[in-house]
Amino acid sequence: MSAEAACPACGATFVALRSRWIERCRGCGLLRQVALLAPLAGLLDETAAAPALVALRQANARRSLALLQALGPRGQLLDVGCGHGWFLAAAQAAGYQAEGLEPDPRMVAAARRLGQTVIDGDFPQALDPARRYAVVAFNDVFEHLADPVAALAAARDALVPGGLLAIAAPSANGAFYRLARLLAVLRLAGPLARLWQRGWPSPHLWYFTPATLQRLITGQGLTFCARRRLPAVGWRGLGARLAMDRRTAGVGALPASRWVLAGLLALLLPVLWLLPSDSELLLFRRTGEAA
């Protein structure tokens, strides 16, 4: 990513923040990560990923699909970066004809073991250009894309007129993100780096707010139509989620410490519902007559 590149949402320039590896757009406030570290071999514990995320992702899939069903008819659905296939399974149960697209062969195999239809390859190159969908979904994927404008154009073209684009992504307005930013000011940068997945094989390249995401998308043949907060953490899988990153999996030889931290987070969960959400779902409709 070029340091001189203009903001994809408003065209303004970026300025470096205190961390130096995060920049903010001077115009709209969109955040991006620059000067990425090389992927660290063995950093992500793949065996911990599924138990860490499955309960939360399945619950959020049901929340997302309930909103999609309220706004449009069921039909063909594409889940970009479908991962383990949990959203696909929920979509099928809700009456959609769902298929996924996934570049990671391990995730393709995992989703197919659940009986899901998955296209093996990158978005949008692996898609049949003649296929059209009632829904195109990006679940915790859009913030990883190097060129969000090109991805939006491809997603719009893959929708039927009146079709829905669903983007669930972390929010820079969230309570955890604001706390991590404060800790970084106090020279405790670890939590902020963890939220950005810095040094992971697929880090967050962008951190949106609902406002910056709407600004990026609205006007590109897509109109905003709905928004819903999604839980960023849940009761189940907290310990395994902390174990995903081997740098924080147990603080050296003290694996019990992560369970203490998981317990503290669990106690805070009811309070988090009163604070700004760290994950948001936004829906956009392709301009045109209803499908």
Side-chain angles (χ1 to χ4, degrees), residues 1 14 19 21-23 30-37 39 43-44 53 57 138-148 168-172 176-177 180 190-209 232 241 244 247 278-280:
M1 187 183 300
F14 285 88
S19 64
W21 51 270
I22 300 174
E23 293 187 343
L30 177 63
L31 299 170
R32 71 173 185 180
Q33 182 173 180
V34 296
L36 299 179
L37 299 176
L43 175 63
L44 184 60
L53 298 173
R57 293 288 172 83
F138 294 83
N139 292 296
D140 296 289
V141 168
F142 196 74
E143 66 275 13
H144 297 274
L145 302 179
D147 190 344
S171 172
F176 279 133
Y177 190 88
L192 188 62
R194 173 62 179 81
L195 288 178
W196 279 91
Q197 298 184 4
R198 185 162 178 79
W200 284 29
S202 180
H204 293 175
L205 301 181
W206 310 94
Y207 235 102
F208 300 97
T209 65
R241 192 164 184 180
M244 286 173 60
R247 293 172 297 188
D278 278 85
S279 183
E280 297 267 3

Short mmCIF file of all heavy atoms in Angstrom, two decimals, residues 1 14 19 21-23 30-37 39 43-44 53 57 138-148 168-172 176-177 180 190-209 232 241 244 247 278-280:
data_model
loop_
_atom_site.label_atom_id
_atom_site.label_comp_id
_atom_site.label_asym_id
_atom_site.label_seq_id
_atom_site.Cartn_x
_atom_site.Cartn_y
_atom_site.Cartn_z
N MET A 1 0.84 -1.19 0.00
CA MET A 1 0.00 0.00 0.00
C MET A 1 0.88 1.24 0.00
O MET A 1 1.71 1.43 0.88
CB MET A 1 -0.90 -0.02 1.23
CG MET A 1 -1.94 1.08 1.26
SD MET A 1 -2.88 1.01 2.80
CE MET A 1 -3.58 -0.63 2.68
N PHE A 14 -3.47 11.03 4.01
CA PHE A 14 -3.37 10.42 5.34
C PHE A 14 -2.25 11.07 6.12
O PHE A 14 -1.25 11.52 5.57
CB PHE A 14 -3.10 8.92 5.21
CG PHE A 14 -4.30 8.11 4.78
CD1 PHE A 14 -4.58 7.93 3.43
CD2 PHE A 14 -5.13 7.53 5.72
CE1 PHE A 14 -5.68 7.19 3.03
CE2 PHE A 14 -6.23 6.79 5.33
CZ PHE A 14 -6.50 6.62 3.98
N SER A 19 1.38 6.01 16.84
CA SER A 19 1.94 4.68 16.67
C SER A 19 2.87 4.57 15.47
O SER A 19 3.66 3.64 15.37
CB SER A 19 0.81 3.66 16.52
OG SER A 19 0.09 3.92 15.33
N TRP A 21 2.50 3.35 12.68
CA TRP A 21 2.07 2.34 11.72
C TRP A 21 0.56 2.41 11.45
O TRP A 21 0.02 1.63 10.69
CB TRP A 21 2.47 0.93 12.15
CG TRP A 21 2.08 0.55 13.56
CD1 TRP A 21 2.82 0.71 14.68
CD2 TRP A 21 0.86 -0.08 13.96
NE1 TRP A 21 2.13 0.23 15.78
CE2 TRP A 21 0.94 -0.26 15.36
CE3 TRP A 21 -0.28 -0.50 13.28
CZ2 TRP A 21 -0.09 -0.86 16.10
CZ3 TRP A 21 -1.31 -1.10 14.01
CH2 TRP A 21 -1.20 -1.27 15.40
N ILE A 22 -0.11 3.37 12.07
CA ILE A 22 -1.51 3.66 11.77
C ILE A 22 -1.58 5.08 11.23
O ILE A 22 -0.96 5.99 11.77
CB ILE A 22 -2.41 3.53 13.01
CG1 ILE A 22 -2.34 2.13 13.60
CG2 ILE A 22 -3.86 3.88 12.65
CD1 ILE A 22 -3.08 1.99 14.91
N GLU A 23 -2.34 5.26 10.16
CA GLU A 23 -2.57 6.59 9.60
C GLU A 23 -4.05 6.89 9.57
O GLU A 23 -4.87 5.99 9.40
CB GLU A 23 -1.97 6.70 8.20
CG GLU A 23 -0.44 6.64 8.19
CD GLU A 23 0.14 6.92 6.82
OE1 GLU A 23 -0.60 6.86 5.82
OE2 GLU A 23 1.34 7.21 6.76
N LEU A 30 -10.89 8.01 8.19
CA LEU A 30 -10.67 6.59 7.94
C LEU A 30 -9.26 6.20 8.37
O LEU A 30 -8.30 6.91 8.12
CB LEU A 30 -10.86 6.30 6.45
CG LEU A 30 -10.59 4.87 5.99
CD1 LEU A 30 -11.54 3.88 6.64
CD2 LEU A 30 -10.69 4.77 4.47
N LEU A 31 -9.14 5.05 9.02
CA LEU A 31 -7.86 4.56 9.52
C LEU A 31 -7.32 3.45 8.64
O LEU A 31 -8.09 2.61 8.15
CB LEU A 31 -8.01 4.03 10.95
CG LEU A 31 -8.48 5.04 12.00
CD1 LEU A 31 -8.82 4.32 13.30
CD2 LEU A 31 -7.45 6.11 12.22
N ARG A 32 -6.01 3.43 8.44
CA ARG A 32 -5.38 2.35 7.69
C ARG A 32 -4.07 1.97 8.36
O ARG A 32 -3.44 2.76 9.06
CB ARG A 32 -5.13 2.75 6.25
CG ARG A 32 -4.02 3.77 6.06
CD ARG A 32 -3.71 4.01 4.59
NE ARG A 32 -2.56 4.90 4.42
CZ ARG A 32 -2.08 5.27 3.24
NH1 ARG A 32 -2.65 4.83 2.14
NH2 ARG A 32 -1.03 6.07 3.16
N GLN A 33 -3.65 0.74 8.13
CA GLN A 33 -2.38 0.25 8.63
C GLN A 33 -1.35 0.29 7.50
O GLN A 33 -1.64 -0.11 6.37
CB GLN A 33 -2.52 -1.19 9.15
CG GLN A 33 -1.24 -1.73 9.73
CD GLN A 33 -1.37 -3.08 10.41
OE1 GLN A 33 -0.39 -3.61 10.92
NE2 GLN A 33 -2.56 -3.67 10.41
N VAL A 34 -0.16 0.79 7.80
CA VAL A 34 0.91 0.90 6.80
C VAL A 34 2.16 0.22 7.35
O VAL A 34 2.25 -0.12 8.52
CB VAL A 34 1.20 2.36 6.45
CG1 VAL A 34 0.00 3.02 5.79
CG2 VAL A 34 1.61 3.15 7.69
N ALA A 35 3.16 0.06 6.45
CA ALA A 35 4.44 -0.55 6.82
C ALA A 35 4.23 -1.85 7.56
O ALA A 35 4.71 -2.05 8.68
CB ALA A 35 5.26 0.43 7.68
N LEU A 36 3.50 -2.76 6.92
CA LEU A 36 3.16 -4.03 7.57
C LEU A 36 4.41 -4.86 7.84
O LEU A 36 5.34 -4.89 7.05
CB LEU A 36 2.21 -4.84 6.68
CG LEU A 36 0.86 -4.20 6.37
CD1 LEU A 36 0.05 -5.10 5.46
CD2 LEU A 36 0.09 -3.92 7.65
N LEU A 37 4.38 -5.55 8.96
CA LEU A 37 5.44 -6.50 9.26
C LEU A 37 5.29 -7.73 8.38
O LEU A 37 4.19 -8.05 7.92
CB LEU A 37 5.38 -6.93 10.74
CG LEU A 37 5.57 -5.82 11.77
CD1 LEU A 37 5.38 -6.41 13.16
CD2 LEU A 37 6.94 -5.18 11.65
N PRO A 39 4.73 -11.58 7.62
CA PRO A 39 4.01 -12.59 8.38
C PRO A 39 4.97 -13.39 9.27
O PRO A 39 6.06 -13.77 8.85
CB PRO A 39 3.37 -13.46 7.29
CG PRO A 39 3.26 -12.55 6.11
CD PRO A 39 4.48 -11.66 6.18
N LEU A 43 2.68 -17.86 14.20
CA LEU A 43 2.11 -16.92 15.16
C LEU A 43 0.67 -17.27 15.50
O LEU A 43 0.25 -17.20 16.66
CB LEU A 43 2.18 -15.51 14.58
CG LEU A 43 1.50 -14.41 15.41
CD1 LEU A 43 2.19 -14.28 16.77
CD2 LEU A 43 1.54 -13.08 14.68
N LEU A 44 -0.13 -17.64 14.48
CA LEU A 44 -1.54 -17.92 14.69
C LEU A 44 -1.74 -19.40 14.93
O LEU A 44 -1.33 -20.24 14.13
CB LEU A 44 -2.34 -17.48 13.45
CG LEU A 44 -3.85 -17.62 13.53
CD1 LEU A 44 -4.41 -16.79 14.68
CD2 LEU A 44 -4.49 -17.21 12.22
N LEU A 53 -14.09 -19.03 17.87
CA LEU A 53 -14.97 -18.16 17.10
C LEU A 53 -16.33 -18.75 16.77
O LEU A 53 -17.26 -18.00 16.46
CB LEU A 53 -14.27 -17.77 15.79
CG LEU A 53 -12.97 -16.99 15.92
CD1 LEU A 53 -12.31 -16.83 14.55
CD2 LEU A 53 -13.21 -15.64 16.55
N ARG A 57 -19.59 -16.42 15.94
CA ARG A 57 -19.87 -16.23 14.52
C ARG A 57 -21.23 -16.83 14.14
O ARG A 57 -21.96 -16.26 13.31
CB ARG A 57 -18.76 -16.87 13.69
CG ARG A 57 -17.41 -16.16 13.84
CD ARG A 57 -17.39 -14.80 13.15
NE ARG A 57 -16.19 -14.04 13.42
CZ ARG A 57 -15.04 -14.17 12.79
NH1 ARG A 57 -14.92 -15.08 11.83
NH2 ARG A 57 -14.01 -13.42 13.10
N PHE A 138 -19.85 -9.83 3.25
CA PHE A 138 -18.47 -9.83 3.72
C PHE A 138 -18.53 -9.85 5.25
O PHE A 138 -18.88 -8.84 5.88
CB PHE A 138 -17.72 -8.57 3.28
CG PHE A 138 -17.50 -8.43 1.80
CD1 PHE A 138 -18.48 -7.91 0.98
CD2 PHE A 138 -16.29 -8.80 1.23
CE1 PHE A 138 -18.27 -7.77 -0.39
CE2 PHE A 138 -16.06 -8.67 -0.13
CZ PHE A 138 -17.06 -8.16 -0.94
N ASN A 139 -18.22 -10.98 5.84
CA ASN A 139 -18.27 -11.12 7.29
C ASN A 139 -16.86 -11.11 7.86
O ASN A 139 -16.13 -12.09 7.74
CB ASN A 139 -19.00 -12.41 7.66
CG ASN A 139 -20.48 -12.37 7.32
OD1 ASN A 139 -21.22 -11.57 7.86
ND2 ASN A 139 -20.90 -13.22 6.39
N ASP A 140 -16.47 -9.98 8.46
CA ASP A 140 -15.12 -9.82 9.00
C ASP A 140 -14.07 -10.09 7.94
O ASP A 140 -13.04 -10.73 8.20
CB ASP A 140 -14.92 -10.72 10.22
CG ASP A 140 -15.85 -10.34 11.36
OD1 ASP A 140 -15.63 -9.27 11.95
OD2 ASP A 140 -16.81 -11.09 11.64
N VAL A 141 -14.31 -9.58 6.75
CA VAL A 141 -13.43 -9.78 5.60
C VAL A 141 -13.06 -8.44 4.95
O VAL A 141 -11.90 -8.24 4.55
CB VAL A 141 -14.11 -10.69 4.55
CG1 VAL A 141 -13.35 -10.69 3.22
CG2 VAL A 141 -14.23 -12.10 5.08
N PHE A 142 -14.00 -7.51 4.87
CA PHE A 142 -13.81 -6.30 4.08
C PHE A 142 -12.62 -5.49 4.56
O PHE A 142 -11.91 -4.87 3.76
CB PHE A 142 -15.09 -5.47 4.11
CG PHE A 142 -15.15 -4.41 3.06
CD1 PHE A 142 -15.38 -4.74 1.73
CD2 PHE A 142 -14.98 -3.07 3.38
CE1 PHE A 142 -15.43 -3.77 0.75
CE2 PHE A 142 -15.03 -2.09 2.41
CZ PHE A 142 -15.26 -2.44 1.09
N GLU A 143 -12.38 -5.48 5.87
CA GLU A 143 -11.27 -4.69 6.43
C GLU A 143 -9.90 -5.26 6.09
O GLU A 143 -8.88 -4.60 6.32
CB GLU A 143 -11.42 -4.59 7.96
CG GLU A 143 -11.28 -5.89 8.70
CD GLU A 143 -12.57 -6.71 8.79
OE1 GLU A 143 -13.54 -6.39 8.07
OE2 GLU A 143 -12.60 -7.65 9.60
N HIS A 144 -9.87 -6.47 5.53
CA HIS A 144 -8.61 -7.10 5.14
C HIS A 144 -8.23 -6.82 3.68
O HIS A 144 -7.13 -7.19 3.26
CB HIS A 144 -8.70 -8.62 5.32
CG HIS A 144 -8.91 -9.06 6.74
ND1 HIS A 144 -7.88 -9.23 7.62
CD2 HIS A 144 -10.04 -9.36 7.42
CE1 HIS A 144 -8.35 -9.63 8.79
NE2 HIS A 144 -9.66 -9.71 8.70
N LEU A 145 -9.11 -6.21 2.91
CA LEU A 145 -8.91 -6.08 1.47
C LEU A 145 -8.04 -4.88 1.13
O LEU A 145 -8.29 -3.77 1.60
CB LEU A 145 -10.26 -5.97 0.76
CG LEU A 145 -11.22 -7.13 0.99
CD1 LEU A 145 -12.53 -6.88 0.24
CD2 LEU A 145 -10.61 -8.45 0.56
N ALA A 146 -7.04 -5.09 0.28
CA ALA A 146 -6.11 -4.02 -0.07
C ALA A 146 -6.79 -2.93 -0.89
O ALA A 146 -6.43 -1.75 -0.78
CB ALA A 146 -4.92 -4.60 -0.83
N ASP A 147 -7.76 -3.29 -1.73
CA ASP A 147 -8.42 -2.32 -2.61
C ASP A 147 -9.93 -2.38 -2.38
O ASP A 147 -10.65 -3.08 -3.10
CB ASP A 147 -8.09 -2.61 -4.07
CG ASP A 147 -8.54 -1.50 -5.02
OD1 ASP A 147 -9.36 -0.66 -4.60
OD2 ASP A 147 -8.07 -1.47 -6.17
N PRO A 148 -10.44 -1.69 -1.36
CA PRO A 148 -11.87 -1.78 -1.07
C PRO A 148 -12.76 -1.21 -2.18
O PRO A 148 -13.88 -1.68 -2.37
CB PRO A 148 -12.02 -0.99 0.23
CG PRO A 148 -10.85 -0.07 0.26
CD PRO A 148 -9.73 -0.81 -0.41
N ALA A 168 -20.11 -6.80 7.60
CA ALA A 168 -19.90 -6.84 9.05
C ALA A 168 -18.40 -6.65 9.28
O ALA A 168 -17.58 -7.40 8.75
CB ALA A 168 -20.37 -8.17 9.63
N ALA A 169 -18.05 -5.63 10.07
CA ALA A 169 -16.64 -5.28 10.24
C ALA A 169 -16.41 -4.67 11.61
O ALA A 169 -17.33 -4.11 12.23
CB ALA A 169 -16.21 -4.29 9.15
N PRO A 170 -15.16 -4.74 12.11
CA PRO A 170 -14.84 -4.06 13.36
C PRO A 170 -15.03 -2.56 13.23
O PRO A 170 -14.88 -1.99 12.15
CB PRO A 170 -13.35 -4.40 13.58
CG PRO A 170 -13.10 -5.59 12.72
CD PRO A 170 -14.02 -5.47 11.55
N SER A 171 -15.36 -1.91 14.36
CA SER A 171 -15.61 -0.47 14.36
C SER A 171 -14.60 0.25 15.23
O SER A 171 -14.36 -0.13 16.38
CB SER A 171 -17.02 -0.17 14.88
OG SER A 171 -17.20 1.22 15.06
N ALA A 172 -14.03 1.33 14.68
CA ALA A 172 -13.10 2.16 15.45
C ALA A 172 -13.82 2.99 16.50
O ALA A 172 -13.16 3.65 17.32
CB ALA A 172 -12.32 3.06 14.50
N PHE A 176 -13.70 -1.36 23.04
CA PHE A 176 -12.39 -2.01 23.10
C PHE A 176 -11.35 -1.23 22.30
O PHE A 176 -10.20 -1.07 22.72
CB PHE A 176 -12.47 -3.45 22.56
CG PHE A 176 -12.98 -4.44 23.56
CD1 PHE A 176 -13.96 -5.36 23.21
CD2 PHE A 176 -12.49 -4.47 24.86
CE1 PHE A 176 -14.45 -6.27 24.13
CE2 PHE A 176 -12.96 -5.40 25.78
CZ PHE A 176 -13.95 -6.30 25.42
N TYR A 177 -11.76 -0.74 21.11
CA TYR A 177 -10.80 -0.01 20.29
C TYR A 177 -10.40 1.29 20.98
O TYR A 177 -9.21 1.66 20.98
CB TYR A 177 -11.37 0.29 18.90
CG TYR A 177 -10.31 0.83 17.97
CD1 TYR A 177 -9.52 -0.04 17.22
CD2 TYR A 177 -10.06 2.20 17.88
CE1 TYR A 177 -8.52 0.44 16.40
CE2 TYR A 177 -9.06 2.68 17.06
CZ TYR A 177 -8.29 1.79 16.32
OH TYR A 177 -7.28 2.28 15.52
N ALA A 180 -8.00 0.44 23.74
CA ALA A 180 -6.69 0.07 23.19
C ALA A 180 -5.93 1.30 22.71
O ALA A 180 -4.71 1.39 22.88
CB ALA A 180 -6.87 -0.94 22.05
N GLY A 190 0.40 -3.21 22.83
CA GLY A 190 0.01 -4.58 22.50
C GLY A 190 -1.45 -4.76 22.16
O GLY A 190 -1.79 -5.39 21.15
N PRO A 191 -2.40 -4.27 22.98
CA PRO A 191 -3.82 -4.45 22.65
C PRO A 191 -4.22 -3.83 21.31
O PRO A 191 -5.00 -4.42 20.56
CB PRO A 191 -4.54 -3.76 23.82
CG PRO A 191 -3.58 -3.87 24.95
CD PRO A 191 -2.22 -3.70 24.33
N LEU A 192 -3.67 -2.65 20.99
CA LEU A 192 -4.00 -2.03 19.71
C LEU A 192 -3.46 -2.85 18.55
O LEU A 192 -4.15 -3.06 17.54
CB LEU A 192 -3.44 -0.61 19.66
CG LEU A 192 -3.86 0.25 18.46
CD1 LEU A 192 -5.37 0.46 18.46
CD2 LEU A 192 -3.14 1.59 18.47
N ALA A 193 -2.22 -3.34 18.67
CA ALA A 193 -1.66 -4.19 17.63
C ALA A 193 -2.47 -5.47 17.46
O ALA A 193 -2.66 -5.96 16.35
CB ALA A 193 -0.20 -4.52 17.96
N ARG A 194 -2.99 -6.01 18.58
CA ARG A 194 -3.80 -7.23 18.51
C ARG A 194 -5.11 -6.98 17.78
O ARG A 194 -5.55 -7.80 16.96
CB ARG A 194 -4.05 -7.74 19.93
CG ARG A 194 -5.03 -8.90 20.03
CD ARG A 194 -4.52 -10.13 19.28
NE ARG A 194 -5.45 -11.24 19.40
CZ ARG A 194 -6.54 -11.39 18.66
NH1 ARG A 194 -6.85 -10.48 17.74
NH2 ARG A 194 -7.33 -12.42 18.83
N LEU A 195 -5.76 -5.83 18.03
CA LEU A 195 -7.00 -5.52 17.33
C LEU A 195 -6.78 -5.35 15.83
O LEU A 195 -7.63 -5.73 15.02
CB LEU A 195 -7.63 -4.26 17.91
CG LEU A 195 -8.26 -4.38 19.30
CD1 LEU A 195 -8.81 -3.04 19.76
CD2 LEU A 195 -9.37 -5.43 19.31
N TRP A 196 -5.63 -4.80 15.46
CA TRP A 196 -5.29 -4.65 14.04
C TRP A 196 -4.76 -5.95 13.45
O TRP A 196 -4.50 -6.03 12.26
CB TRP A 196 -4.25 -3.55 13.86
CG TRP A 196 -4.79 -2.16 13.85
CD1 TRP A 196 -4.94 -1.33 14.92
CD2 TRP A 196 -5.25 -1.42 12.71
NE1 TRP A 196 -5.45 -0.12 14.51
CE2 TRP A 196 -5.65 -0.14 13.17
CE3 TRP A 196 -5.36 -1.71 11.34
CZ2 TRP A 196 -6.15 0.84 12.30
CZ3 TRP A 196 -5.85 -0.73 10.49
CH2 TRP A 196 -6.25 0.52 10.97
N GLN A 197 -4.55 -6.97 14.29
CA GLN A 197 -3.95 -8.23 13.86
C GLN A 197 -2.61 -7.98 13.18
O GLN A 197 -2.28 -8.58 12.15
CB GLN A 197 -4.91 -9.02 12.97
CG GLN A 197 -6.21 -9.40 13.68
CD GLN A 197 -7.14 -10.25 12.86
OE1 GLN A 197 -6.84 -10.66 11.74
NE2 GLN A 197 -8.30 -10.56 13.41
N ARG A 198 -1.85 -7.09 13.77
CA ARG A 198 -0.56 -6.71 13.20
C ARG A 198 0.41 -7.88 13.28
O ARG A 198 0.60 -8.48 14.32
CB ARG A 198 0.01 -5.51 13.95
CG ARG A 198 1.29 -4.98 13.32
CD ARG A 198 1.58 -3.57 13.78
NE ARG A 198 2.83 -3.04 13.24
CZ ARG A 198 2.98 -2.57 12.02
NH1 ARG A 198 1.97 -2.56 11.18
NH2 ARG A 198 4.15 -2.09 11.60
N GLY A 199 1.02 -8.19 12.14
CA GLY A 199 1.95 -9.30 12.06
C GLY A 199 1.29 -10.63 11.78
O GLY A 199 1.98 -11.63 11.62
N TRP A 200 -0.05 -10.67 11.73
CA TRP A 200 -0.74 -11.91 11.37
C TRP A 200 -0.66 -12.11 9.86
O TRP A 200 -0.38 -11.17 9.11
CB TRP A 200 -2.20 -11.84 11.80
CG TRP A 200 -2.41 -12.02 13.28
CD1 TRP A 200 -1.55 -11.69 14.28
CD2 TRP A 200 -3.56 -12.57 13.91
NE1 TRP A 200 -2.09 -11.99 15.50
CE2 TRP A 200 -3.33 -12.53 15.31
CE3 TRP A 200 -4.76 -13.09 13.45
CZ2 TRP A 200 -4.26 -13.01 16.23
CZ3 TRP A 200 -5.69 -13.54 14.38
CH2 TRP A 200 -5.43 -13.51 15.75
N PRO A 201 -0.91 -13.34 9.40
CA PRO A 201 -0.87 -13.58 7.95
C PRO A 201 -1.85 -12.70 7.16
O PRO A 201 -1.58 -12.34 6.03
CB PRO A 201 -1.23 -15.06 7.83
CG PRO A 201 -0.80 -15.65 9.14
CD PRO A 201 -1.07 -14.59 10.16
N SER A 202 -3.00 -12.35 7.78
CA SER A 202 -3.98 -11.50 7.09
C SER A 202 -4.43 -10.40 8.05
O SER A 202 -5.47 -10.49 8.69
CB SER A 202 -5.18 -12.33 6.63
OG SER A 202 -6.13 -11.51 5.97
N PRO A 203 -3.64 -9.32 8.18
CA PRO A 203 -3.97 -8.27 9.15
C PRO A 203 -5.10 -7.38 8.66
O PRO A 203 -5.48 -7.40 7.49
CB PRO A 203 -2.66 -7.48 9.23
CG PRO A 203 -2.06 -7.65 7.87
CD PRO A 203 -2.40 -9.05 7.45
N HIS A 204 -5.65 -6.59 9.57
CA HIS A 204 -6.61 -5.56 9.19
C HIS A 204 -5.84 -4.44 8.50
O HIS A 204 -4.93 -3.85 9.07
CB HIS A 204 -7.32 -5.00 10.41
CG HIS A 204 -8.22 -5.98 11.09
ND1 HIS A 204 -8.87 -5.71 12.26
CD2 HIS A 204 -8.57 -7.25 10.75
CE1 HIS A 204 -9.60 -6.75 12.62
NE2 HIS A 204 -9.42 -7.71 11.71
N LEU A 205 -6.23 -4.12 7.28
CA LEU A 205 -5.62 -3.01 6.56
C LEU A 205 -6.37 -1.71 6.80
O LEU A 205 -5.82 -0.63 6.59
CB LEU A 205 -5.57 -3.33 5.07
CG LEU A 205 -4.77 -4.58 4.68
CD1 LEU A 205 -4.79 -4.75 3.17
CD2 LEU A 205 -3.35 -4.52 5.21
N TRP A 206 -7.64 -1.83 7.21
CA TRP A 206 -8.49 -0.67 7.45
C TRP A 206 -9.23 -0.85 8.76
O TRP A 206 -9.54 -1.97 9.16
CB TRP A 206 -9.53 -0.49 6.33
CG TRP A 206 -8.94 -0.53 4.96
CD1 TRP A 206 -8.84 -1.63 4.13
CD2 TRP A 206 -8.36 0.56 4.23
NE1 TRP A 206 -8.24 -1.29 2.95
CE2 TRP A 206 -7.93 0.05 2.98
CE3 TRP A 206 -8.17 1.91 4.51
CZ2 TRP A 206 -7.32 0.85 2.02
CZ3 TRP A 206 -7.56 2.71 3.56
CH2 TRP A 206 -7.15 2.18 2.33
N TYR A 207 -9.54 0.25 9.41
CA TYR A 207 -10.46 0.24 10.54
C TYR A 207 -11.51 1.31 10.25
O TYR A 207 -11.22 2.50 10.21
CB TYR A 207 -9.75 0.52 11.86
CG TYR A 207 -9.97 -0.56 12.90
CD1 TYR A 207 -9.00 -1.53 13.17
CD2 TYR A 207 -11.18 -0.63 13.60
CE1 TYR A 207 -9.21 -2.52 14.11
CE2 TYR A 207 -11.39 -1.62 14.55
CZ TYR A 207 -10.41 -2.56 14.80
OH TYR A 207 -10.64 -3.54 15.73
N PHE A 208 -12.75 0.86 10.04
CA PHE A 208 -13.84 1.76 9.67
C PHE A 208 -14.64 2.18 10.90
O PHE A 208 -14.63 1.51 11.93
CB PHE A 208 -14.79 1.08 8.68
CG PHE A 208 -14.15 0.65 7.40
CD1 PHE A 208 -13.72 -0.66 7.22
CD2 PHE A 208 -13.97 1.54 6.36
CE1 PHE A 208 -13.13 -1.07 6.04
CE2 PHE A 208 -13.38 1.15 5.17
CZ PHE A 208 -12.96 -0.16 5.01
N THR A 209 -15.36 3.26 10.77
CA THR A 209 -16.52 3.56 11.60
C THR A 209 -17.73 3.42 10.69
O THR A 209 -17.59 3.41 9.46
CB THR A 209 -16.47 4.98 12.17
OG1 THR A 209 -16.54 5.92 11.08
CG2 THR A 209 -15.17 5.21 12.97
N ALA A 232 -18.83 -8.27 19.64
CA ALA A 232 -17.47 -8.56 19.20
C ALA A 232 -16.85 -9.70 20.00
O ALA A 232 -15.87 -10.31 19.56
CB ALA A 232 -16.60 -7.32 19.32
N ARG A 241 -9.96 -17.90 22.31
CA ARG A 241 -9.69 -16.73 21.47
C ARG A 241 -8.39 -16.05 21.90
O ARG A 241 -7.61 -15.61 21.06
CB ARG A 241 -10.85 -15.76 21.55
CG ARG A 241 -10.79 -14.66 20.50
CD ARG A 241 -12.11 -13.97 20.36
NE ARG A 241 -12.10 -12.99 19.30
CZ ARG A 241 -13.14 -12.24 18.96
NH1 ARG A 241 -14.28 -12.40 19.61
NH2 ARG A 241 -13.06 -11.36 17.99
N MET A 244 -5.39 -17.91 20.49
CA MET A 244 -5.13 -17.91 19.05
C MET A 244 -3.78 -17.27 18.72
O MET A 244 -3.05 -17.75 17.86
CB MET A 244 -6.24 -17.18 18.31
CG MET A 244 -7.55 -17.92 18.21
SD MET A 244 -8.86 -16.89 17.51
CE MET A 244 -8.19 -16.50 15.90
N ARG A 247 1.59 -15.11 21.00
CA ARG A 247 2.29 -14.11 21.81
C ARG A 247 1.55 -13.83 23.11
O ARG A 247 2.15 -13.40 24.09
CB ARG A 247 2.45 -12.80 21.02
CG ARG A 247 3.37 -12.92 19.84
CD ARG A 247 3.34 -11.66 18.99
NE ARG A 247 2.03 -11.43 18.41
CZ ARG A 247 1.77 -10.48 17.52
NH1 ARG A 247 2.73 -9.67 17.11
NH2 ARG A 247 0.55 -10.33 17.02
N ASP A 278 -18.01 -2.77 19.17
CA ASP A 278 -16.76 -2.96 18.43
C ASP A 278 -16.98 -3.70 17.11
O ASP A 278 -16.02 -3.96 16.39
CB ASP A 278 -15.76 -3.72 19.29
CG ASP A 278 -15.02 -2.80 20.25
OD1 ASP A 278 -15.56 -2.54 21.34
OD2 ASP A 278 -13.94 -2.32 19.90
N SER A 279 -18.21 -4.06 16.80
CA SER A 279 -18.51 -4.71 15.53
C SER A 279 -19.86 -4.21 15.03
O SER A 279 -20.82 -4.12 15.81
CB SER A 279 -18.54 -6.23 15.71
OG SER A 279 -18.77 -6.89 14.47
N GLU A 280 -19.92 -3.88 13.76
CA GLU A 280 -21.15 -3.33 13.17
C GLU A 280 -21.47 -4.04 11.86
O GLU A 280 -20.58 -4.39 11.09
CB GLU A 280 -20.98 -1.83 12.89
CG GLU A 280 -20.74 -0.97 14.12
CD GLU A 280 -22.03 -0.39 14.69
OE1 GLU A 280 -23.11 -0.72 14.16
OE2 GLU A 280 -21.93 0.38 15.66
#
